[in-house]
Amino acid sequence: MDNDKDQLPSSTLDRILVSSVSYVLVLAGFLLITGAVFFNELFEARQFLTMQFQADALRRTETVQGLLNYPLTHMNTIRMFFSSSEEVTSQEFGQFCREWIDQGIFLLIGWIPPANDREAGGGYVLSSGLRTSEISSLPWDNDGLDTIMSKENSVTENRILIDSEKPGQILALMPVSATEGILYARFDPDSLLSPFYSEIPHIGLSFQIVEETESEERVLYRYKDRSNIGGNRGKLFFSSDNLRKSTRFAFADKEWRIDIEADPLYLRETASNMPLYILISGITLSVLLALYLYQRSVGKLAFLEKVNDLNRFFTLTLDLYCISGLDGTLIRVNPQWEKTFGYPEEMLKGSSFLDLVHPDDIRSTLDVVEQLTHGKEVRDFTNRYRCADGSYRWIEWRSIASDNLIYAAARDITERREWEQKLIDSLQEKEILMREIHHRVKNNLQIVKSMLNLEKGRSSDPFFQDVLERNQNRINAIALVHEILYTSDSMITIDFSRHIRELISLYSQTKDGRIIDYSLDIREVLLPLDIAMPCGLIVNEILTNSIQHAMDQTGEPGITLVFFHDRQSEEGCIEISDNGPGFTMPDPGEKPSGLGLQMILALTEQIHGRLDFSGAGGAHFHVRFPIPAGSDRIKTQ
């Protein structure tokens, strides 16, 4: 087949191109919708993350501020203890302050009288007479305090100092009164804040507390969330660059600032996963949709290729193909219709095929359509269709109906019908000729029989008359075969049972006029002409011999005749016996002397048969001969 015939037609390629473009547009539209939903959700998630961070940072700031004020609140309680007591012993002071030391609120707590009231020996004396001994049970840092007092001379308001010698620790100073000295305490912000970290609702927020001065900034405390497992791995599509918050506040007599920023852990714990889910779902669905559309395109291409193959077969076949409705309207026909009938394809489409059917075939065609409507398949239906030139052609159909449509394949058998008709005509001519031949042979045999009868009448010799009569009987047996062939439907085989009955009707009486009693068991068997003729002569010779030599010697003449087809051996069987005196059997190996018996033996050999006979207690003959397969049919009479 040429290469251009193997390619898809342009209309099919156009459909494939349009379908592929539509699939691409569908996939692109789905990706655009997925992208729009993703970016919208990402924008909203980032806004929500920013607002959530601001709220969490505010709560963290308020918590830290409250915790920083917590030690000052307890120092004020201690100050009130001094102010309300006339005299405080070191034991009382130690017992009163021990609770704060044990709870870890303060690392060191003590009281310093004014500088002009200090006494040597480590004790301190209040100007009002309030006395206290050395507080030996508490850690003491006299040098540091002396340095502070020497620099400050006195403390009139709450002060917060950062110890340069012990980084990370804070020294708080609180005046008891203007004349009664200073209450001081040292505490660690980390120890102070750590117990409260678990109460802060959000992890992943690091912060630092900074002391702001005119000249510099000093970090009082820096906290890094220790639960930040996972390192610097944040969350896809989110950044902590903009998640920072700074809050300024006054604490004691200084300005402070809390800087809070989000760690990667905060992003992982707080940022929404929905954008990622939408993106993954969109990509997954896009891939699945792409695979589906690809498979659909491949399947459609394969389908169109199959359709194209069917269309090519539909177009190139030499038979007639068509699709029509149940009302006979032609929906599609192949080009062979135009070649066969001469009508253009466009003219046939939309017309009814019943308009082309021969008027004599309309009824049978409608019956076939009725069978199709009931779901039956129609095979080998023939009718005639009118061609464009007015002639009719014979068409043989095979049709089936499905979904209210008739699918039919047909073949122009006009030439075959013409040859069949010629063959039928020829066979009829030959049959007529054969019948005429058999009729003339029978007539000629009758003429010969009549001539023998004339010769018999002119002779007075009994022996000569007997010879002429026997020959007349043989001629009758042959003429009966030709008569049966002339009157039967077949020119090849004859019903031999009919032939036997016709012969019996000729030999119904003895020479002296007595009726012969026949006992018959005859089956209907069809024999070929070349077998039927010798068998007829064998039966004729046996019956003639019995009538002439046996029946006049018995009081009640009788003959038994059996004829059948032995299916096991595929042989025909003829059995004839009479109740006469019998005859003398020839010696073994000796040929029979009688002409009749010699003829019977010769005819049996001619049909390749076997002959058994006996003369004791009457004549008995048994002939078996082969019958060609397929030449017979049996009916029990």
Side-chain angles (χ1 to χ4, degrees):
M1 187 175 289
D2 297 336
N3 293 332
D4 57 346
K5 293 182 179 180
D6 292 335
Q7 297 176 354
L8 292 174
S10 59
S11 59
T12 303
L13 293 175
D14 292 340
R15 289 198 298 270
I16 295 174
L17 180 61
V18 171
S19 177
S20 301
V21 171
S22 63
Y23 290 159
V24 171
L25 292 177
V26 169
L27 182 59
F30 184 80
L31 289 174
L32 288 175
I33 294 174
T34 301
V37 174
F38 166 72
F39 285 111
N40 179 70
E41 184 64 27
L42 180 61
F43 175 76
E44 293 182 356
R46 286 176 174 174
Q47 282 189 326
F48 175 79
L49 178 62
T50 300
M51 292 187 295
Q52 184 67 38
F53 171 76
Q54 294 294 331
D56 294 339
L58 178 60
R59 283 195 293 271
R60 178 63 60 89
T61 300
E62 292 175 350
T63 301
V64 171
Q65 288 178 343
L67 292 175
L68 289 176
N69 286 315
Y70 189 66
L72 297 181
T73 302
H74 289 285
M75 289 180 68
N76 188 57
T77 302
I78 298 173
R79 184 185 62 80
M80 293 177 62
F81 171 73
F82 273 94
S83 300
S84 61
S85 302
E86 295 182 357
E87 184 177 357
V88 178
T89 67
S90 60
Q91 184 178 4
E92 290 175 340
F93 182 77
Q95 289 178 352
F96 186 76
C97 296
R98 174 59 62 183
E99 181 180 356
W100 283 280
I101 296 296
D102 293 339
Q103 291 180 0
I105 298 175
F106 300 113
L107 300 176
L108 176 69
I109 188 170
W111 174 75
I112 305 173
N116 57 356
D117 287 343
R118 296 180 190 177
E119 298 180 353
Y124 299 93
V125 179
L126 297 176
S127 59
S128 62
L130 182 63
R131 305 180 66 86
T132 182
S133 61
E134 184 180 52
I135 307 177
S136 59
S137 61
L138 297 177
W140 200 259
D141 188 1
N142 293 327
D143 295 337
L145 294 177
D146 289 343
T147 302
I148 293 172
M149 294 304 298
S150 65
K151 290 180 180 180
E152 302 292 337
N153 191 21
S154 64
V155 178
T156 59
E157 59 183 9
N158 295 341
R159 298 291 299 276
I160 294 295
L161 301 176
I162 299 175
D163 192 346
S164 59
E165 298 179 358
K166 297 181 179 180
Q169 293 188 4
I170 299 176
L171 182 65
L173 304 175
M174 179 179 291
V176 177
S177 65
T179 60
E180 294 181 351
I182 302 169
L183 181 67
Y184 71 93
R186 184 187 295 275
F187 60 90
D188 184 358
D190 187 50
S191 300
L192 184 66
L193 296 176
S194 294
F196 297 93
Y197 289 155
S198 59
E199 299 179 7
I200 301 176
H202 290 277
I203 61 176
L205 292 179
S206 298
F207 67 92
Q208 64 180 6
I209 303 174
V210 181
E211 178 187 3
E212 291 184 332
T213 63
E214 295 180 359
S215 59
E216 62 177 350
E217 292 183 352
R218 296 180 62 189
V219 178
L220 172 64
Y221 177 72
R222 180 178 286 112
Y223 168 75
K224 186 71 173 178
D225 194 343
R226 296 182 180 87
S227 62
N228 188 18
I229 303 173
N232 295 324
R233 181 174 58 85
K235 178 167 286 189
L236 193 62
F237 310 121
F238 293 94
S239 174
S240 61
D241 295 341
N242 297 325
L243 300 181
R244 293 185 176 89
K245 181 178 178 59
S246 297
T247 304
R248 290 177 172 82
F249 66 97
F251 178 58
D253 58 347
K254 296 184 178 181
E255 293 293 328
W256 305 83
R257 188 182 76 244
I258 300 180
D259 297 330
I260 300 179
E261 65 179 7
D263 294 336
L265 177 62
Y266 183 81
L267 296 179
R268 296 197 300 271
E269 294 293 331
T270 307
S272 174
N273 293 319
M274 188 56 67
L276 182 60
Y277 293 158
I278 291 176
L279 182 62
I280 294 175
S281 300
I283 293 175
T284 302
L285 292 176
S286 298
V287 172
L288 293 177
L289 179 61
L291 291 175
Y292 168 74
L293 295 179
Y294 172 75
Q295 292 294 334
R296 185 176 176 87
S297 299
V298 172
K300 193 169 186 178
L301 179 61
F303 172 76
L304 291 176
E305 289 178 349
K306 291 182 180 179
V307 171
N308 184 64
D309 292 340
L310 292 176
N311 288 336
R312 186 183 295 112
F313 179 77
F314 193 85
T315 303
L316 298 179
T317 181
L318 298 178
D319 292 331
L320 299 166
Y321 286 169
C322 72
I323 302 174
S324 70
L326 295 177
D327 59 350
T329 303
L330 292 171
I331 299 175
R332 185 179 180 184
V333 297
N334 67 332
Q336 194 63 27
W337 279 68
E338 182 175 355
K339 295 179 182 179
T340 302
F341 301 116
Y343 301 105
E345 291 185 44
E346 297 302 325
M347 179 179 177
L348 290 172
K349 293 179 181 179
S351 63
S352 176
F353 63 77
L354 295 174
D355 297 336
L356 305 178
V357 177
H358 192 283
D360 295 342
D361 299 334
I362 289 291
R363 183 69 263 169
S364 61
T365 303
L366 291 176
D367 293 340
V368 167
V369 173
E370 182 68 19
Q371 295 178 21
L372 291 172
T373 58
H374 290 85
K376 296 181 179 179
E377 182 180 358
V378 175
R379 296 187 179 187
D380 303 329
F381 171 71
T382 58
N383 59 1
R384 287 164 289 181
Y385 272 68
R386 185 181 68 252
C387 299
D389 58 2
S391 62
Y392 284 90
R393 302 193 69 84
W394 283 95
I395 308 297
E396 185 178 64
W397 295 92
R398 181 174 182 176
S399 309
I400 190 172
S402 177
D403 297 331
N404 295 323
L405 293 176
I406 297 176
Y407 299 87
R411 182 167 296 177
D412 185 359
I413 60 171
T414 303
E415 286 75 12
R416 191 184 79 186
R417 293 276 299 199
E418 291 176 354
W419 279 105
E420 289 177 352
Q421 188 61 43
K422 290 180 180 179
L423 181 60
I424 292 173
D425 294 342
S426 176
L427 290 176
Q428 288 179 348
E429 291 176 359
K430 291 180 180 180
E431 183 178 354
I432 293 173
L433 178 61
M434 290 297 295
R435 291 184 186 278
E436 183 64 23
I437 290 174
H438 288 302
H439 181 64
R440 292 190 179 187
V441 169
K442 186 195 73 169
N443 290 339
N444 290 335
L445 290 175
Q446 290 294 334
I447 293 174
V448 173
K449 180 182 176 181
S450 298
M451 293 175 64
L452 293 176
N453 193 37
L454 290 176
E455 289 294 330
K456 179 182 177 181
R458 293 172 58 185
S459 175
S460 59
D461 185 359
F463 176 78
F464 183 69
Q465 290 181 345
D466 182 64
V467 170
L468 293 177
E469 185 177 354
R470 282 177 172 273
N471 288 324
Q472 283 182 322
N473 292 335
R474 295 183 182 109
I475 291 173
N476 282 333
I478 297 174
L480 279 176
V481 172
H482 289 281
E483 183 178 359
I484 293 173
L485 286 173
Y486 176 73
T487 57
S488 66
D489 296 331
S490 174
M491 295 287 103
I492 300 175
T493 60
I494 67 171
D495 181 6
F496 195 66
S497 64
R498 176 183 172 187
H499 181 68
I500 292 175
R501 294 180 187 278
E502 294 287 345
L503 283 175
I504 291 174
S505 65
L506 297 177
Y507 305 116
S508 60
Q509 297 179 357
T510 61
K511 291 182 178 181
D512 55 4
R514 291 178 298 167
I515 301 300
I516 301 174
D517 182 18
Y518 282 95
S519 176
L520 302 179
D521 183 6
I522 303 173
R523 309 294 178 87
E524 182 178 334
V525 180
L526 295 179
L527 295 180
L529 182 60
D530 58 345
I531 295 178
M533 191 74 73
C535 288
L537 291 174
I538 290 172
V539 172
N540 179 77
E541 289 299 323
I542 295 174
L543 292 178
T544 302
N545 180 74
S546 295
I547 293 173
Q548 290 185 351
H549 300 289
M551 295 298 98
D552 56 351
Q553 300 181 34
T554 181
E556 296 179 357
I559 297 177
T560 301
L561 196 154
V562 177
F563 174 65
F564 64 95
H565 181 185
D566 187 349
R567 283 293 182 180
Q568 293 183 352
S569 61
E570 291 295 334
E571 291 180 328
C573 299
I574 301 175
E575 297 179 3
I576 303 176
S577 59
D578 59 39
N579 57 355
F583 59 91
T584 303
M585 293 289 292
D587 295 331
E590 182 182 354
K591 291 184 178 181
S593 58
L595 178 62
L597 191 55
Q598 290 180 0
M599 287 187 63
I600 293 173
L601 287 172
L603 292 171
T604 302
E605 291 179 358
Q606 182 179 342
I607 59 177
H608 307 288
R610 303 188 307 275
L611 172 64
D612 294 323
F613 59 91
S614 172
H620 303 281
F621 292 88
H622 185 192
V623 181
R624 297 182 70 89
F625 56 92
I627 297 178
S631 64
D632 64 313
R633 59 184 177 87
I634 302 176
K635 290 183 181 179
T636 302
Q637 300 296 318

